[in-house]
Amino acid sequence: MPVLDLRRYHCPIPLLMTKDALEKLAKGHYLEIQFGNTSAVKDFEVLCKEMGYRIISCKKLTALNGQIEYEMKISN
């Protein structure tokens, strides 16, 4: 499963990079994205809905430095 680490980017870059990766994703595969609190979960939900993908899971994590991060798995 490809993993896209978007934690160091600010919107709209994570959404654009995710869109590009989803367009290249082979049928029946999953994409895992990791992003920080500078990106909104809702934005990824809207992107997936518009592209016809579904979110399998979304975990909210606390990094060692105390910052909130997310891990999301997306399927086509």
Side-chain angles (χ1 to χ4, degrees):
M1 167 177 22
V3 177
L4 194 56
D5 185 353
L6 305 166
R7 292 176 286 186
R8 67 178 184 259
Y9 299 104
H10 297 278
C11 274
I13 301 302
L15 286 173
L16 297 172
M17 292 175 70
T18 299
K19 181 177 187 239
D20 185 55
L22 288 173
E23 289 172 344
K24 296 174 183 173
L25 190 65
K27 191 75 172 165
H29 287 82
Y30 298 90
L31 173 67
E32 180 178 314
I33 59 172
Q34 300 168 345
F35 57 96
N37 62 353
T38 60
S39 299
V41 172
K42 186 69 175 168
D43 292 336
F44 289 101
E45 291 172 347
V46 170
L47 175 68
C48 289
K49 183 177 180 181
E50 288 178 356
M51 292 184 70
Y53 290 85
R54 63 188 182 108
I55 297 171
I56 302 299
S57 66
C58 183
K59 297 178 187 174
K60 183 177 180 180
L61 311 167
T62 303
L64 293 176
N65 62 4
Q67 290 188 343
I68 301 297
E69 296 179 351
Y70 296 88
E71 178 183 283
M72 183 180 284
K73 293 181 184 170
I74 303 169
S75 170
N76 55 7

